[in-house]
Amino acid sequence: MLPKPDALQTLHDRFADFRTRIETAARACGRSSAEITLVAITKTHPTETLKAALALGMQDLGENRVQEAEEKISELGRDAARWHLVGHLQTNKARRAVSLFDVVHSLDSSALAERLDRMCAEENRQSLDVLVQVDLGGEAAKSGIEAAQLPNLLAALKECPHLRLTGLMTLPPYFENPDCSRPFFKTLRELRDELQVQGHFASAKGELSMGMSHDFEVAIEEGATMIRVGTALFGERG
Ligand SMILES: *Cc1c(COP(=O)(O)O)cnc(C)c1O
């Protein structure tokens, strides 16, 4: 069942409005919006909302918990969207993550990389796209690997033939003023550029997954290729 027509209309309007904001932000810094993937973050929202998002043409949906995603994906179908995991992944959920998701944005340890790689082999999955989540805020509570630990993780990834490293992700601390996120985004871009030169990425470009509802415009200015947006599309989470 789709949401009531007025709810669908609201989402339609927000989506249209949001597309315009992406266009405007991209154009303002001489970029094309075609190089920016909108990952619609649907965590806490019911399956009906995901259906509406798909009906409106959103193709990339993101969830932050394996359990919650599993319920929704089993209802909507594995092929209904390109499914992104954006939340911390525990190693004991790696097998389920491998069967559910197309992209894991939150790779943050060698142990998790090794585990995901082994699960891909066991589940006959040829390859899984992964982004390394870099913790640039130095906040112990947040997930992500510190930049100083990146070389170890990159070395571990070389031994993981099923994992395709496609880019980097970061989640800065929350600031009221979105411009305060800028140094984090800039640092991630510089790291990406370094890794790109060193040939660490599976694709030429090296994705930058950064920017959320309140700071995606700044992220686009700083080179984001994937923005992860929930609230601006679906409203406040309950
Ligand atoms: C919830 C979440 C988002 C989306 O946040 P909004 O502020 O609702 O746009 C993006 N990234 C991650 C990792 C999240 O957990």
Side-chain angles (χ1 to χ4, degrees):
M1 196 182 78
L2 286 171
K4 294 192 189 73
D6 53 339
L8 191 58
Q9 187 61 43
T10 302
L11 184 56
H12 172 277
D13 293 348
R14 281 189 179 142
F15 185 40
D17 176 53
F18 201 77
R19 292 242 62 109
T20 307
R21 288 175 67 191
I22 294 176
E23 290 285 343
T24 307
R27 203 170 318 122
C29 57
R31 300 185 62 201
S32 159
S33 62
E35 61 189 67
I36 300 159
T37 301
L38 170 63
V39 183
I41 306 296
T42 50
K43 66 189 184 198
T44 76
H45 293 287
T47 309
E48 282 63 36
T49 303
L50 281 70
K51 277 188 198 161
L54 292 168
L56 291 172
M58 297 182 221
Q59 297 168 332
D60 291 81
L61 302 187
E63 289 281 332
N64 70 333
R65 293 175 59 239
V66 173
Q67 177 83 38
E68 184 181 335
E70 188 166 38
E71 286 161 22
K72 295 173 182 175
I73 294 171
S74 65
E75 202 177 322
L76 294 171
R78 179 65 185 79
D79 296 330
R82 193 159 171 250
W83 298 102
H84 298 250
L85 177 66
V86 300
H88 179 66
L89 177 59
Q90 292 167 279
T91 47
N92 64 5
K93 297 198 175 131
R95 185 186 300 279
R96 280 196 286 161
V98 158
S99 65
L100 291 169
F101 293 99
D102 296 287
V103 190
V104 171
H105 290 236
S106 47
L107 180 66
D108 61 358
S109 74
S110 304
L112 181 58
E114 284 154 18
R115 182 91 184 162
L116 285 169
D117 189 61
R118 186 144 50 86
M119 292 305 125
C120 284
E122 288 186 19
E123 300 288 317
N124 286 319
R125 171 136 186 202
Q126 190 123 31
S127 72
L128 174 68
D129 285 5
V130 295
L131 287 83
V132 170
Q133 181 177 355
V134 188
D135 175 13
L136 300 170
E139 292 173 300
K142 286 235 174 91
S143 50
I145 190 169
E146 284 181 29
Q149 299 300 316
L150 259 177
N152 284 336
L153 179 51
L154 293 170
L157 276 169
K158 296 270 180 264
E159 310 299 318
C160 297
H162 300 89
L163 302 188
R164 291 181 74 240
L165 177 63
T166 56
L168 302 177
M169 179 273 226
T170 199
L171 179 61
Y174 180 83
F175 300 104
E176 204 64 52
N177 177 358
D179 225 35
C180 296
S181 298
R182 190 183 299 278
F184 297 89
F185 297 154
K186 183 167 180 287
T187 303
L188 196 73
R189 168 164 47 83
E190 289 166 354
L191 268 177
R192 190 276 314 266
D193 292 348
E194 236 175 87
L195 268 49
Q196 195 172 33
V197 168
Q198 295 166 7
H200 285 290
F201 296 118
S203 59
K205 121 172 142 172
E207 304 275 1
L208 282 174
S209 167
M210 57 190 200
M212 312 183 3
S213 291
H214 72 294
D215 59 9
F216 75 92
E217 278 141 332
V218 176
I220 287 174
E221 283 174 35
E222 294 300 331
T225 65
M226 291 176 144
I227 56 175
R228 311 180 307 268
V229 178
T231 313
L233 292 169
F234 305 111
E236 293 292 335
R237 286 178 289 271

